[in-house]
Amino acid sequence: VIEGIFDGQNMLDKDGQTYPVPANYASKSKLVEGDGMKLTITDEGKFVYKQIAPIPRRTALGVLIQEDGQYKVLSEGKSLRVLLASVTFYRAEIGDQVTVLLPQEGEAKWGAIEAVLPKHVAEGAARDTVIGMGRDSDGELSPTV
């Protein structure tokens, strides 16, 4: 049994050894950078990962983009890497609004996609917000009564 920390893509043990975490597991488990994990290597050589110490999380809203040939989420003024497995699992498309899980403390390079709000839903929500609004004397949108 080996314990380590999830770095957004791999598990790193205390000696700096890297162990590749299956992207499907990391995506479906919504692992966040900094989560504590353990790896059990069975007698047959099978690797079994388990999240053992989730770190405190926060949620951020962003937009899925493609940058340098990789999917990323533009959120809070920076681009965060996301796992391709998460993008395909949620059937996300470039331009979709997504919520990502991030460590509550510190800077993250990776985000874990939590949910996807497709473009047409986001546009509809924006449109619905404007419906029922009128212009005030300054030309600003305000609720009509």
Side-chain angles (χ1 to χ4, degrees):
V1 175
I2 302 164
E3 291 191 9
I5 301 294
F6 185 65
D7 73 356
Q9 190 173 15
N10 301 298
M11 184 186 89
L12 300 175
D13 71 9
K14 63 180 173 13
D15 298 323
Q17 180 72 36
T18 301
Y19 300 89
V21 175
N24 285 342
Y25 172 72
S27 176
K28 290 178 184 176
S29 301
K30 298 177 184 173
L31 294 178
V32 171
E33 214 174 315
D35 280 348
M37 302 185 71
K38 78 174 180 182
L39 165 62
T40 303
I41 303 173
T42 67
D43 292 338
E44 297 83 33
K46 184 177 177 184
F47 282 38
V48 180
Y49 290 91
K50 182 171 175 62
Q51 178 189 36
I52 57 171
I55 64 165
R57 293 155 155 62
R58 66 185 179 88
T59 304
L61 185 63
V63 176
L64 186 67
I65 62 170
Q66 198 164 27
E67 183 179 81
D68 304 326
Q70 297 179 347
Y71 286 103
K72 296 184 179 183
V73 172
L74 187 58
S75 178
E76 301 176 346
K78 57 187 159 203
S79 63
L80 300 161
R81 294 182 67 182
V82 291
L83 294 170
L84 175 60
S86 293
V87 174
T88 57
F89 177 76
Y90 287 105
R91 294 185 175 92
E93 297 178 5
I94 293 171
D96 285 348
Q97 280 192 329
V98 297
T99 55
V100 288
L101 296 173
L102 301 170
Q104 193 169 349
E105 301 292 325
E107 291 290 315
K109 293 182 178 90
W110 290 83
I113 295 178
E114 180 180 42
V116 176
L117 184 62
K119 282 181 277 199
H120 68 280
V121 174
E123 290 166 359
R127 226 180 355 268
D128 290 347
T129 301
V130 174
I131 293 174
M133 303 288 275
R135 301 267 179 201
D136 64 15
S137 60
D138 296 327
E140 298 292 319
L141 283 175
S142 63
T144 55
V145 181

